[in-house]
Short mmCIF file of all heavy atoms in Angstrom, two decimals:
data_model
loop_
_atom_site.label_atom_id
_atom_site.label_comp_id
_atom_site.label_asym_id
_atom_site.label_seq_id
_atom_site.Cartn_x
_atom_site.Cartn_y
_atom_site.Cartn_z
N CYS A 33 -0.43 10.04 7.45
CA CYS A 33 -0.34 9.46 6.11
C CYS A 33 -1.73 9.07 5.60
O CYS A 33 -2.51 8.44 6.31
CB CYS A 33 0.55 8.22 6.12
SG CYS A 33 2.24 8.57 6.63
N LEU A 34 -2.00 9.46 4.37
CA LEU A 34 -3.25 9.13 3.70
C LEU A 34 -2.99 8.01 2.71
O LEU A 34 -2.12 8.13 1.84
CB LEU A 34 -3.81 10.35 2.98
CG LEU A 34 -5.03 10.15 2.10
CD1 LEU A 34 -6.24 9.75 2.93
CD2 LEU A 34 -5.31 11.41 1.30
N TYR A 35 -3.72 6.92 2.87
CA TYR A 35 -3.68 5.79 1.94
C TYR A 35 -5.04 5.70 1.26
O TYR A 35 -5.97 6.41 1.63
CB TYR A 35 -3.39 4.49 2.70
CG TYR A 35 -2.07 4.48 3.42
CD1 TYR A 35 -1.98 4.86 4.76
CD2 TYR A 35 -0.90 4.11 2.78
CE1 TYR A 35 -0.77 4.85 5.44
CE2 TYR A 35 0.32 4.09 3.45
CZ TYR A 35 0.37 4.46 4.77
OH TYR A 35 1.57 4.46 5.43
N THR A 36 -5.19 4.81 0.30
CA THR A 36 -6.47 4.68 -0.39
C THR A 36 -7.58 4.17 0.52
O THR A 36 -8.75 4.44 0.28
CB THR A 36 -6.36 3.74 -1.60
OG1 THR A 36 -5.85 2.49 -1.17
CG2 THR A 36 -5.47 4.34 -2.67
N ASP A 37 -7.23 3.46 1.59
CA ASP A 37 -8.27 2.90 2.46
C ASP A 37 -8.22 3.35 3.92
O ASP A 37 -9.08 2.99 4.70
CB ASP A 37 -8.26 1.38 2.39
CG ASP A 37 -6.94 0.79 2.87
OD1 ASP A 37 -5.96 1.53 2.98
OD2 ASP A 37 -6.91 -0.42 3.14
N ASN A 38 -7.21 4.15 4.30
CA ASN A 38 -7.18 4.64 5.68
C ASN A 38 -6.27 5.85 5.84
O ASN A 38 -5.51 6.21 4.94
CB ASN A 38 -6.78 3.53 6.66
CG ASN A 38 -5.36 3.07 6.50
OD1 ASN A 38 -4.73 3.33 5.49
ND2 ASN A 38 -4.86 2.39 7.50
N ILE A 39 -6.38 6.47 7.02
CA ILE A 39 -5.52 7.57 7.43
C ILE A 39 -4.83 7.12 8.71
O ILE A 39 -5.50 6.66 9.65
CB ILE A 39 -6.32 8.86 7.67
CG1 ILE A 39 -6.97 9.34 6.38
CG2 ILE A 39 -5.42 9.95 8.26
CD1 ILE A 39 -7.89 10.53 6.55
N SER A 45 -5.42 4.84 13.70
CA SER A 45 -5.64 4.48 12.31
C SER A 45 -7.14 4.57 12.06
O SER A 45 -7.93 3.98 12.80
CB SER A 45 -5.13 3.07 12.02
OG SER A 45 -5.34 2.74 10.68
N PHE A 46 -7.53 5.34 11.04
CA PHE A 46 -8.94 5.55 10.73
C PHE A 46 -9.23 4.98 9.35
O PHE A 46 -8.58 5.37 8.37
CB PHE A 46 -9.28 7.04 10.72
CG PHE A 46 -8.93 7.76 11.98
CD1 PHE A 46 -7.74 8.46 12.09
CD2 PHE A 46 -9.78 7.72 13.07
CE1 PHE A 46 -7.40 9.13 13.24
CE2 PHE A 46 -9.45 8.39 14.24
CZ PHE A 46 -8.26 9.09 14.33
N HIS A 47 -10.19 4.07 9.26
CA HIS A 47 -10.62 3.58 7.95
C HIS A 47 -11.24 4.74 7.21
O HIS A 47 -11.94 5.57 7.80
CB HIS A 47 -11.60 2.42 8.10
CG HIS A 47 -11.83 1.71 6.81
ND1 HIS A 47 -12.77 2.14 5.89
CD2 HIS A 47 -11.22 0.64 6.26
CE1 HIS A 47 -12.74 1.35 4.84
NE2 HIS A 47 -11.81 0.43 5.04
N ILE A 48 -11.01 4.81 5.91
CA ILE A 48 -11.47 5.95 5.11
C ILE A 48 -13.00 6.12 5.17
O ILE A 48 -13.51 7.24 5.13
CB ILE A 48 -10.95 5.86 3.66
CG1 ILE A 48 -10.93 7.23 2.99
CG2 ILE A 48 -11.75 4.86 2.84
CD1 ILE A 48 -9.82 8.10 3.44
N ASN A 49 -13.73 5.01 5.33
CA ASN A 49 -15.19 5.11 5.42
C ASN A 49 -15.66 5.66 6.76
O ASN A 49 -16.80 6.12 6.87
CB ASN A 49 -15.84 3.75 5.17
CG ASN A 49 -15.71 3.32 3.72
OD1 ASN A 49 -15.55 4.15 2.84
ND2 ASN A 49 -15.73 2.02 3.49
N SER A 50 -14.80 5.61 7.79
CA SER A 50 -15.19 6.15 9.09
C SER A 50 -14.81 7.63 9.24
O SER A 50 -15.13 8.25 10.24
CB SER A 50 -14.58 5.33 10.22
OG SER A 50 -13.18 5.47 10.24
N VAL A 51 -14.14 8.20 8.23
CA VAL A 51 -13.80 9.63 8.23
C VAL A 51 -14.85 10.36 7.39
O VAL A 51 -14.96 10.12 6.19
CB VAL A 51 -12.38 9.88 7.67
CG1 VAL A 51 -12.07 11.37 7.66
CG2 VAL A 51 -11.34 9.13 8.48
N PHE A 52 -15.63 11.21 8.04
CA PHE A 52 -16.70 11.92 7.35
C PHE A 52 -16.20 13.15 6.61
O PHE A 52 -16.68 13.49 5.54
CB PHE A 52 -17.80 12.34 8.32
CG PHE A 52 -18.38 11.20 9.10
CD1 PHE A 52 -18.52 11.29 10.47
CD2 PHE A 52 -18.78 10.03 8.48
CE1 PHE A 52 -19.05 10.24 11.20
CE2 PHE A 52 -19.32 8.98 9.18
CZ PHE A 52 -19.45 9.08 10.56
N ASP A 53 -15.22 13.85 7.20
CA ASP A 53 -14.70 15.07 6.59
C ASP A 53 -13.38 15.43 7.24
O ASP A 53 -13.05 14.96 8.33
CB ASP A 53 -15.71 16.21 6.79
CG ASP A 53 -15.41 17.42 5.89
OD1 ASP A 53 -14.67 17.26 4.89
OD2 ASP A 53 -15.91 18.51 6.19
N ILE A 54 -12.63 16.29 6.55
CA ILE A 54 -11.41 16.88 7.09
C ILE A 54 -11.54 18.39 6.91
O ILE A 54 -11.89 18.86 5.83
CB ILE A 54 -10.14 16.37 6.37
CG1 ILE A 54 -9.99 14.87 6.53
CG2 ILE A 54 -8.91 17.08 6.91
CD1 ILE A 54 -8.79 14.29 5.79
N HIS A 69 -13.01 14.54 11.21
CA HIS A 69 -14.36 14.29 11.71
C HIS A 69 -14.66 12.83 11.41
O HIS A 69 -14.78 12.44 10.24
CB HIS A 69 -15.37 15.20 11.01
CG HIS A 69 -15.01 16.65 11.11
ND1 HIS A 69 -15.45 17.45 12.14
CD2 HIS A 69 -14.24 17.44 10.32
CE1 HIS A 69 -14.98 18.67 11.98
NE2 HIS A 69 -14.24 18.69 10.88
N THR A 70 -14.76 12.01 12.46
CA THR A 70 -14.92 10.56 12.28
C THR A 70 -16.13 10.04 13.04
O THR A 70 -16.72 10.77 13.84
CB THR A 70 -13.66 9.81 12.77
OG1 THR A 70 -13.66 9.80 14.20
CG2 THR A 70 -12.38 10.44 12.26
N ALA A 89 -6.58 15.50 -1.72
CA ALA A 89 -6.34 14.07 -1.99
C ALA A 89 -7.37 13.21 -1.25
O ALA A 89 -7.89 12.24 -1.81
CB ALA A 89 -4.93 13.69 -1.57
N TYR A 90 -7.70 13.58 -0.01
CA TYR A 90 -8.73 12.86 0.75
C TYR A 90 -10.08 12.94 0.03
O TYR A 90 -10.77 11.93 -0.13
CB TYR A 90 -8.85 13.43 2.17
CG TYR A 90 -10.15 13.08 2.83
CD1 TYR A 90 -10.36 11.82 3.36
CD2 TYR A 90 -11.19 14.00 2.90
CE1 TYR A 90 -11.58 11.49 3.94
CE2 TYR A 90 -12.40 13.69 3.48
CZ TYR A 90 -12.58 12.43 4.00
OH TYR A 90 -13.79 12.10 4.56
N ARG A 91 -10.44 14.13 -0.42
CA ARG A 91 -11.74 14.30 -1.08
C ARG A 91 -11.80 13.56 -2.41
O ARG A 91 -12.86 13.05 -2.79
CB ARG A 91 -12.05 15.78 -1.24
CG ARG A 91 -12.32 16.41 0.13
CD ARG A 91 -12.82 17.80 0.08
NE ARG A 91 -13.13 18.25 1.46
CZ ARG A 91 -13.02 19.47 1.88
NH1 ARG A 91 -12.64 20.42 1.04
NH2 ARG A 91 -13.32 19.78 3.12
N ILE A 93 -10.30 10.70 -3.01
CA ILE A 93 -10.51 9.30 -2.64
C ILE A 93 -11.97 9.06 -2.27
O ILE A 93 -12.57 8.07 -2.68
CB ILE A 93 -9.58 8.90 -1.47
CG1 ILE A 93 -8.14 8.85 -1.96
CG2 ILE A 93 -9.98 7.55 -0.87
CD1 ILE A 93 -7.11 8.69 -0.86
N LYS A 94 -12.56 9.98 -1.51
CA LYS A 94 -13.96 9.82 -1.09
C LYS A 94 -14.92 9.87 -2.27
O LYS A 94 -15.93 9.18 -2.27
CB LYS A 94 -14.34 10.89 -0.06
CG LYS A 94 -13.74 10.69 1.30
CD LYS A 94 -14.22 9.44 1.99
CE LYS A 94 -15.45 9.71 2.79
NZ LYS A 94 -15.82 8.59 3.70
N LYS A 95 -14.60 10.68 -3.29
CA LYS A 95 -15.46 10.76 -4.48
C LYS A 95 -15.51 9.44 -5.22
O LYS A 95 -16.52 9.06 -5.79
CB LYS A 95 -14.95 11.83 -5.45
CG LYS A 95 -15.35 13.22 -5.11
CD LYS A 95 -14.85 14.15 -6.19
CE LYS A 95 -14.88 15.59 -5.73
NZ LYS A 95 -14.28 16.48 -6.72
N ARG A 97 -15.34 6.50 -4.04
CA ARG A 97 -15.95 5.39 -3.28
C ARG A 97 -17.45 5.39 -3.41
O ARG A 97 -18.17 6.19 -3.60
CB ARG A 97 -15.55 5.46 -1.82
CG ARG A 97 -14.10 5.11 -1.68
CD ARG A 97 -13.72 4.99 -0.23
NE ARG A 97 -12.49 4.26 -0.19
CZ ARG A 97 -12.36 2.99 0.14
NH1 ARG A 97 -13.38 2.30 0.53
NH2 ARG A 97 -11.20 2.40 0.14
#
Side-chain angles (χ1 to χ4, degrees):
C33 300
L34 173 66
Y35 299 93
T36 55
D37 61 345
N38 67 344
I39 296 174
S45 180
F46 305 97
H47 192 275
I48 203 75
N49 290 336
S50 68
V51 179
F52 304 131
D53 194 18
I54 298 178
H69 306 270
T70 75
Y90 161 78
R91 291 188 176 149
I93 290 171
K94 287 296 270 192
K95 278 183 196 175
R97 290 187 162 257

